[in-house]
Amino acid sequence: MDSPRLRHLVLLPLLLAAPAVFAASDLDGRAERARIARERAAIESRYAAEQADCRARFVVTACSNEAKARRREALNQLKHQELVLDEQDRRRRAAARLDAIEARQREMAARPPVPVQPAPVIREAASVPADKPLALPSAAQRAAREREEAARAERRVDAAERQRQQAADDRARIAEREAERRAKGKAVAPLPPRPSIPAN
């Protein structure tokens, strides 16, 4: 088969399909995509036939390269048609989305405005009913609380004093042991100085 003649046979369906790309906006997108898929299958089958024909010839590489180039060109045109369809679909979806947004805005504008509700008052004690005022502690309750706090403070002072006394007793006992060891002639390393405990 003559290669210019073969080229015309390959390009003829593509040239006939070119007006269909421009009319794709009127056609159903799925039908157009099905047409492109059929054309792609036809291109692939023609390519396979050309490859088989090339293998029967003496100069296989040149024939095969020409067939590949024709196939690539035809597939690129189909890819371009698909891109046009994709762009049309995207624009159609964007227009539909804008229409939906505008319809929603018109609907929102047609509704009467919702009155603003004041924020609820949060009370300190959730267990106290709203109609009852919070009860302040009585003088007797305040006095009892003060006595209780004074007793706690006194217990803390007593505990601190006991700790100081215990520390002093420990130091005296250690000093006494060191004196006994010195009296026996044993060398005793001095203890590190103890941190002072502040007096409250």
Side-chain angles (χ1 to χ4, degrees):
M1 200 178 243
D2 188 28
S3 73
R5 194 168 146 199
L6 185 62
R7 184 176 299 139
H8 288 100
L9 286 176
V10 170
L11 293 178
L12 182 64
L14 295 175
L15 292 174
L16 292 175
V21 171
F22 299 109
S25 59
D26 300 328
L27 296 176
D28 184 31
R30 282 179 268 159
E32 189 65 18
R33 289 183 193 281
R35 178 194 61 78
I36 291 173
R38 285 191 305 273
E39 286 185 23
R40 181 174 282 124
I43 290 169
E44 292 295 339
S45 67
R46 277 192 299 271
Y47 173 71
E50 288 176 8
Q51 287 292 329
D53 185 42
C54 287
R55 282 193 284 286
R57 295 183 182 191
F58 180 72
V59 182
V60 176
T61 305
C63 178
S64 179
N65 288 343
E66 288 176 7
K68 286 178 186 177
R70 285 189 297 275
R71 174 178 169 252
R72 189 177 322 113
E73 184 179 327
L75 289 177
N76 283 342
Q77 289 177 1
L78 289 180
K79 183 66 176 171
H80 176 70
Q81 292 173 12
E82 281 182 329
L83 291 175
V84 168
L85 284 175
D86 290 344
E87 179 65 20
Q88 288 173 349
D89 287 347
R90 188 194 64 75
R91 287 180 188 217
R92 211 176 359 259
R93 285 192 310 268
R97 180 70 182 139
L98 284 175
D99 290 342
I101 290 171
E102 289 173 359
R104 186 170 180 191
Q105 288 175 345
R106 285 191 300 272
E107 180 184 317
M108 294 298 284
R111 288 185 187 170
V114 178
V116 178
Q117 298 287 333
V121 176
I122 299 174
R123 301 199 180 270
E124 295 238 353
S127 61
V128 177
D131 56 344
K132 272 189 173 179
L134 293 175
L136 296 176
S138 67
Q141 290 173 334
R142 283 193 303 264
R145 188 175 299 141
E146 287 174 5
R147 283 192 303 271
E148 189 176 312
E149 288 176 10
R152 264 189 257 138
E154 191 175 325
R155 285 193 296 269
R156 283 194 300 266
V157 167
D158 289 344
E161 185 58 39
R162 280 194 303 273
Q163 285 179 345
R164 272 192 230 106
Q165 185 61 42
Q166 180 70 36
D169 291 347
D170 289 345
R171 281 192 298 273
R173 206 176 31 235
I174 291 170
E176 188 177 308
R177 246 188 269 143
E178 286 177 357
E180 287 175 7
R181 286 185 183 164
R182 279 191 206 110
K184 292 181 181 177
K186 291 183 179 177
V188 178
L191 290 175
R194 295 187 60 96
S196 61
I197 299 174
N200 287 341

